[in-house]
């Protein structure tokens, strides 16, 4: 850890390491600014973990399945594709893992960014706390993103349901809910 990590005044502190936060952080570091990045959950945010990347990997597998099923469009014999849903998910996880290093703590620290893991809370207009650290900055970027909204349907909390986050992170073989 650099001796100066967390100390003094940052040019920019970015809250949230999703697409928006990562681009802002890399841009600031590239311009020579002193920048810190705070993430309470997974580096890469929705896009890498529960959004663009895993959904496109699943769509790619679904397209192959569809092409096998309708192979006569390409002059081939049509077949009923053989697949295990869990293997399709495993392939998605591997693709996501291959991309993850681009959004990792190590990559951003190599760009000169001070990365903090934890929940950011404002304690003044120019200070936040993250666990035991107090970070001061001239500018803050709040790139805190969003999450799936659960519609206000009576009783919904009492029944199992999936969101993009739960299905793309925790789908497992023999799942019952
Ligand atoms: C299924 C799906 C498919 C998608 N496909 C595409 C696509 O193909 N192309 C496309 O362009 N977009 C796509 N999107 C949209 C894309 O994922 C989002 O637009 C993008 O992730 C938003 O990035 P963000 O940085 O604003 O927020 P997020 O990715 O949500 O990142 C915000 C981060 O802030 C962190 N955070 C929040 N509060 C705090 C706090 N107090 N302290 C510390 N950290 C905090 C969160 O943990 C999170 O990691 C898709 C979305 C979904 C759900």
């Amino acid at each position: 850890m650099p001796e100066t990590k967390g100390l003094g005044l940052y040019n920019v502190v970015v809250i949230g390491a999703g697409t928006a936060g990562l681009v802002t952080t890399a841009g600031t570091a590239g311009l020579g600014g002193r920048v810190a990045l705070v993430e309470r959950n997974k580096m890469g945010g929705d896009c890498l973990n529960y959004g663009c990347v895993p959904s496109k990997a699943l769509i790619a597998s679904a397209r192959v399945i569809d092409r096998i099923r309708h192979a006569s469009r390409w002059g081939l014999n049509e077949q009923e594709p053989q697949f295990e849903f869990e293997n399709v998910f495993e392939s998605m996880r591997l693709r996501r893992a291959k991309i993850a290093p681009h959004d990792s703590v190590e990559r951003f620290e190599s760009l000169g960014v001070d990365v903090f893991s934890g929940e950011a809370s404002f304690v003044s207009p120019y200070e936040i706390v993250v666990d035991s650290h107090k970070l001061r900055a001239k500018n803050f970027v709040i790139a805190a993103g969003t999450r799936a909204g659960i519609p206000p349907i009576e009783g919904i909390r009492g029944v199992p349901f999936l969101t993009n986050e739960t299905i793309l992170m925790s789908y497992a073989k023999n799942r019952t809910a």
Side-chain angles (χ1 to χ4, degrees):
M1 183 191 294
E3 275 176 29
T4 56
K5 186 173 177 179
L7 302 177
L9 187 64
Y10 285 95
N11 295 113
V12 180
V13 168
V14 178
I15 301 171
T19 310
L22 294 178
V23 169
T24 307
T25 303
T28 305
L31 291 169
R34 185 166 182 246
V35 55
L37 174 64
V38 186
E39 173 55 55
R40 69 181 174 192
N41 191 5
K42 291 179 178 298
M43 293 291 287
D46 259 28
C47 189
L48 173 66
N49 298 293
Y50 336 109
C52 331
V53 170
S55 65
K56 269 42 187 205
L58 292 178
I59 289 168
S61 296
R63 285 209 171 113
V64 174
I65 290 169
D66 185 68
R67 286 184 174 196
I68 294 169
R69 197 168 272 152
H70 302 289
S72 61
R73 290 178 197 159
W74 292 274
L76 307 174
N77 295 340
E78 293 188 355
Q79 292 179 40
E80 191 47 35
Q82 304 293 307
F83 64 94
E84 298 289 333
F85 201 51
E86 174 55 25
N87 292 342
V88 174
F89 260 68
E90 184 56 19
S91 155
M92 174 273 283
R93 290 188 201 105
L94 291 173
R95 285 162 181 240
R96 184 170 56 196
K98 200 169 172 190
I99 294 172
H102 294 284
D103 292 356
S104 65
V105 170
E106 294 72 20
R107 159 126 196 274
F108 277 77
E109 287 185 341
S110 79
L111 298 176
V113 176
D114 289 345
V115 182
F116 293 85
S117 177
E119 172 112 22
S121 315
F122 278 96
V123 289
S124 84
Y126 51 87
E127 278 171 317
I128 60 167
V129 287
V130 186
D131 292 334
S132 56
H133 298 280
K134 190 176 269 189
L135 305 180
R136 298 177 66 236
K138 290 181 192 166
N139 302 285
F140 289 88
V141 174
I142 303 171
T146 183
R147 63 180 55 177
I150 310 305
I153 299 172
E154 203 177 324
I156 196 168
R157 300 280 172 186
V159 296
F161 62 85
L162 295 166
T163 65
N164 64 304
E165 192 168 334
T166 55
I167 196 169
L168 292 170
M169 284 313 286
S170 46
Y171 190 94
K173 216 170 186 173
N174 303 325
R175 186 181 60 89
T176 54

